[in-house]
Amino acid sequence: MLVLLASARGHTMLTVVVFLLCAASSVSASVKGAAGPRLNNNQLYKFSYTTEVLVDGTRGSKEGSAGYKISSDVDVHLVWRGPSSKDDQLIQLAISNVRIGPASHQSKKKNVLHGSTAESVLGKTKLSALTKPFLLNLKNGKAKAFYSYWSEPAIIKNLKRGLASLLQVQLGTGKVIENDVSGRCTVEYKAVKDQVTRTKILETCKTVETGFTTHSQVFGVSRKSSSVTTFTFEDGFIRSAVAEETHSVIVNARRSTAAKVISRQTFTFVGKETGPLEAAGKDVASVVKSIDVKLAAVGIIGEIVKSQCKGCPSLFEHWQTQEKQLEPASLAKATAPRSFLALIQSIRKASKDEILKVLKSASKTSLPQVVDAVTSSQTVASLDAMLEFLNFTDAKSFVLQERFLYASGFASHPNERMLKVLLDISKGKIGSTDIKESLVIIMGALVHRLCEKGGCNLPTVVQVKKLILDGAGSAQGESEVQMYLLALKNSLLPEAIPIFTKYSESEVGAYNTIALTALQRYDVNLMTDEVKRTVGRIYHQNRRIYEKNVRAAAADVILSSRPSYMEVKNLLLSIGHLPHEMNKYMLSKIQDIIRFQLPASKVLQQAMKDMVSHNYNRFAKVGSSSAFSGFMAQSADVTSTYSLDILYSGSGILRRSNMNIYAASKGAMLHGLQVAIEAQGLESLIAATPDEGEEDLESYAGMSALLFDVQLRPVTFFKGYSDLMSKMFSMTGEPMNVVKGLILLTDHSEVIQLQSGLKASAEFQGGLAIDISGGMEISLWYRESKTSVNNRGALVITGNVTVDMDFMRAGVEVSFETEASLDFITTVQFSEYPFLVCMQMDKTTFPVSEYLTKYESVSSGKSVESRKRKKQLVPGSEFPLHQDNSNMCKKVFDSSW
């Protein structure tokens, strides 16, 4: 193109075109040929500089944000220029006339800095350090070295780094990697005429400080950040630089629980006057040494600032104020998880001895909750304290041991050491068989968490993988095999799929159910043709007869594994040839998938166009079994769904009840809760005939729970006829506890290095107090059975974003809390056939509260705080199930009068 222009219109036109192209992509004539800003010799450049930081909720507030502003004058001059390059410069910066004030307008009463001076806030030593000149080696517009004094406080050096980083700028358009106070970051420059815009891609920044976050995206925290600096130039150097950086930290499950921090810098040219002459010297190092031998290259990247809590209570003192809120009677109240979260924060700063003191002083009733808090803290000291405190050879401390194991299974950011501790315990003597089972099952959960983080090849993970993979094949007793299968179910190891496939065809019904429900949890892409053929054989009983609940589990796997047209058609053709209640269950399951538009709905609808598989004869089967899915809650942040699957025996006794609750947010899915109640071999109680394949089953009833993607140890109500009879005559109607405790759901900690040199710490935690219980009652006199699953809980999520300069502190706390209960009750009257079944799923009216607290303080002890609260009541309701259930409930309640 340029050649054509040149030949057509000559050399003059070519020059114009080239000039225009250059003008569009770099700063114009005044700095032509320079890679970065250049200072002139013998000139003192004078600037005004302001850095401010504000913290608030993401929506802002009328009262204004918390925060402060530091203003000063800055003198800049050239100390030395490299003999081989004009863009190799050593620059001195000197801060003076420091002023400190609030970032937003405040009344005298609310202004924590009213009447203060820079010296009274900073102190004489820090102010002297801040105003001491420092040096920046700028080469081709990039910071090559930053010189200050090692003896200076870290916060002062960081403030100087923030100012020095403003001088780093490229004059051409493009992307580069730069080191500045924020870390090593990718930066994009856009140059137009005398203006350059610098956009820092903050997610690329690598800093010296690392944090941690919850593995679950649903209950996790996300951060949105931006950093833009606009430069203008005059006479080769910066005329102005205006930077604004924003970080919003948001709870995914409730995006109104969010906080933001805004950092601004303004660097404005005021004028210039005659300054010092350039120093002589071969290189930067010799020149710096000639100025002051104590000056050192301390690095431009911000360094760690350790803040000390002045006047904070010790862990034991803090525990004494929280103990009452952690008693069992308070576990359904929001005060319990709030105290739990506060205690975790204190434990994370405490030593092993301090933690042991609390463990040893806690009452017998509050101790299990303390174990939850200590284990959830996940520090070296807290784990060491638990190991010294618990004695796994003593079966009497069963409750504390299991609470420790469950809290480990729910760990927000487990590490290899935690898994190694559990592995070492498993190799020693364990007093309780139940604890041995829970221990191995939870190790499977930790393997999954560590593999998710890329730690599948860690030595301890490899050992535990071998233990549970080999254990499933070599275990002898039924309970031991189940233990290893449940551990593998938690681990979700792809290597375990062949093991589950094998056990799904076992002669033992319990193995079948565990194996099939485990296969259902895997990614659909891992379901090979061999797995699908095996599951199909089980459902269609090609090789032998299976129990109904096993066949139902096989159908669930088929329908959730991207079934083919033929697989679905064969399922439809089987309806009408199944036991009565299973016919009804399969019909209900298929109708639920279509109604709720689950993934298999399209292929089901396609197969049902064939009248052979879809006709009145098949789809008019009667029975009481059912499958139903519905929405618990729908919002822009999270969608919560539930499903209830009930399968009965032909005699009207519950065979399997399965309740699931899922939560989805921004494409992520969490299996929040699964409570499955199974019963078998109870037909003899009412002189009924067992269904085909279930004639020789031992009397049994039990409950299994999966909580937040972690399978827990199953609970047995009774096993064997004699145990059944003794339980029936001693039955009190009180439910049996399945899981009770405090769980750390959200756990996010990070330090945000701001471009100004200040640091914002973000701490977000979510705690859940939960009590899940279940029971089963059978009345031979009234020929009625009742199963119940009771869920009680309180949830608190708190988020703190704080900018702490040691001498001055500003922050915001956002929080959300609620208390709720959910009951699922099934009543069956089997005095006649078809028997009457009524299912009820109720939630009570519950409160939802949100809080916003802003606070500021200075080292003198003066502080101000503002607090806002928003509360609402969510009305209770009975969740809708299918119309047949509503009709049946009416009959049940009418007959009970």
Side-chain angles (χ1 to χ4, degrees), residues 326-334 336-337 365 368-369 372 399 403 406 410 659 661 672-675 703 705-708 712 715 734-743 745 767-775 788-795 818-824 842:
L326 292 176
E327 290 290 346
S330 301
L331 277 186
K333 298 175 184 175
T365 50
Q369 287 71 255
D372 290 338
V399 172
R403 292 286 276 267
Y406 283 170
F410 296 126
M659 180 179 77
I661 296 176
L673 176 66
Q674 181 186 74
V675 179
M703 182 159 64
L706 184 145
L707 189 60
F708 301 114
L712 307 180
V715 174
E734 290 296 316
M736 180 182 286
N737 181 257
V738 179
V739 61
K740 189 174 191 173
L742 291 152
I743 300 171
L745 280 184
L768 175 70
I770 193 165
D771 184 352
I772 301 175
S773 56
S788 62
V789 177
N790 312 112
N791 303 279
R792 302 282 181 275
L795 173 68
T818 186
E819 300 167 2
S821 66
L822 179 68
D823 296 326
F824 172 49
D842 303 328

Side-chain angles (χ1 to χ4, degrees), residues 274-299:
T274 303
L277 291 170
E278 235 180 87
K282 283 195 261 181
D283 53 33
V284 172
S286 61
V287 174
V288 171
K289 193 174 181 180
S290 69
I291 295 169
D292 190 339
V293 292
K294 291 182 180 179
L295 276 168
V298 296

Side-chain angles (χ1 to χ4, degrees), residues 579-581 622-624 649-652 829-836:
H580 284 303
E581 284 300 321
V622 296
S624 302
S649 69
S651 57
Q829 292 182 352
F830 47 83
S831 55
E832 56 184 276
Y833 192 86
F835 41 84
L836 301 177

Side-chain angles (χ1 to χ4, degrees), residues 110-293:
K110 293 183 178 180
N111 182 3
V112 74
L113 292 165
H114 179 68
S116 300
T117 62
E119 186 173 318
S120 68
V121 175
L122 286 165
K124 195 173 272 188
T125 304
K126 287 189 176 75
L127 181 59
S128 174
L130 183 62
T131 54
K132 206 165 189 178
F134 55 98
L135 302 173
L136 174 69
N137 179 205
L138 200 65
K139 189 172 184 180
N140 297 322
K142 288 192 176 184
K144 297 297 289 182
F146 170 75
Y147 297 91
S148 195
Y149 300 89
W150 285 116
S151 59
E152 289 177 344
I155 185 63
I156 298 299
K157 289 202 289 286
N158 282 347
L159 284 170
K160 290 180 174 181
R161 289 179 175 111
L163 173 57
S165 295
L166 271 184
L167 271 60
Q168 180 168 245
V169 58
Q170 302 292 296
L171 303 183
T173 296
K175 277 188 181 181
V176 293
I177 295 174
E178 292 180 348
N179 291 338
D180 70 2
V181 67
S182 302
R184 186 168 178 79
C185 312
T186 300
V187 179
E188 186 171 6
Y189 284 97
K190 188 174 182 181
V192 180
K193 294 186 179 179
D194 287 329
Q195 182 174 299
V196 173
T197 302
R198 178 176 71 189
T199 303
K200 192 176 294 180
I201 305 169
L202 292 168
E203 55 269 26
T204 66
C205 293
K206 294 176 182 176
T207 63
V208 292
E209 295 183 89
T210 56
F212 53 80
T213 194
T214 311
H215 61 91
S216 166
Q217 290 183 44
V218 174
F219 282 106
V221 170
S222 56
R223 175 154 66 95
K224 287 184 178 179
S225 302
S226 66
S227 173
V228 178
T229 307
T230 303
F231 299 88
T232 60
F233 292 85
E234 185 179 276
D235 193 25
F237 198 64
I238 297 167
R239 178 173 181 77
S240 69
V242 178
E244 180 160 320
E245 182 178 2
T246 304
H247 301 269
S248 298
V249 190
I250 305 155
V251 175
N252 294 336
R254 192 171 181 89
R255 301 183 76 80
S256 59
T257 304
K260 69 177 176 183
V261 55
I262 298 172
S263 172
R264 296 192 184 106
Q265 291 171 280
T266 306
F267 187 62
T268 307
F269 179 68
V270 175
K272 60 183 175 181
E273 57 188 53
T274 303
L277 291 170
E278 235 180 87
K282 283 195 261 181
D283 53 33
V284 172
S286 61
V287 174
V288 171
K289 193 174 181 180
S290 69
I291 295 169
D292 190 339
V293 292

Side-chain angles (χ1 to χ4, degrees), residues 294-402:
K294 291 182 180 179
L295 276 168
V298 296
I300 191 77
I301 295 175
E303 64 184 274
I304 295 171
V305 178
K306 292 182 179 178
S307 58
Q308 294 182 341
C309 190
K310 295 169 184 175
C312 290
S314 67
L315 173 61
F316 188 73
E317 290 169 338
H318 184 238
W319 158 243
Q320 288 178 314
T321 65
Q322 304 292 333
E323 186 170 8
K324 285 183 181 178
Q325 282 73 44
L326 292 176
E327 290 290 346
S330 301
L331 277 186
K333 298 175 184 175
T335 51
R338 191 170 283 280
S339 295
F340 168 68
L341 295 177
L343 190 59
I344 285 174
Q345 291 291 346
S346 291
I347 292 169
R348 284 180 170 169
K349 299 167 190 168
S351 66
K352 171 187 160 184
D353 290 339
E354 288 176 297
I355 297 168
L356 279 169
K357 185 179 178 182
V358 171
L359 285 165
K360 290 173 182 177
S361 66
S363 66
K364 188 177 179 180
T365 50
S366 66
L367 185 54
Q369 287 71 255
V370 179
V371 169
D372 290 338
V374 173
T375 311
S376 299
S377 299
Q378 299 166 74
T379 65
V380 173
S382 65
L383 188 53
D384 287 344
M386 287 308 309
L387 290 176
E388 186 170 322
F389 182 72
L390 293 175
N391 177 12
F392 281 87
T393 62
D394 181 12
K396 293 177 183 176
S397 58
F398 166 86
V399 172
L400 299 180
Q401 292 165 23
E402 189 149 72

Side-chain angles (χ1 to χ4, degrees), residues 810-831:
V812 61
E813 179 182 277
V814 289
S815 67
F816 155 79
E817 65 180 41
T818 186
E819 300 167 2
S821 66
L822 179 68
D823 296 326
F824 172 49
I825 301 166
T826 306
T827 306
V828 183
Q829 292 182 352
F830 47 83
S831 55

Side-chain angles (χ1 to χ4, degrees), residues 575-594:
I575 298 171
H577 304 286
L578 304 170
H580 284 303
E581 284 300 321
M582 194 166 173
N583 274 326
K584 181 62 177 174
Y585 174 81
M586 288 302 298
L587 283 173
S588 188
K589 188 77 178 174
I590 287 164
Q591 289 164 346
D592 184 54
I593 289 171
I594 293 171

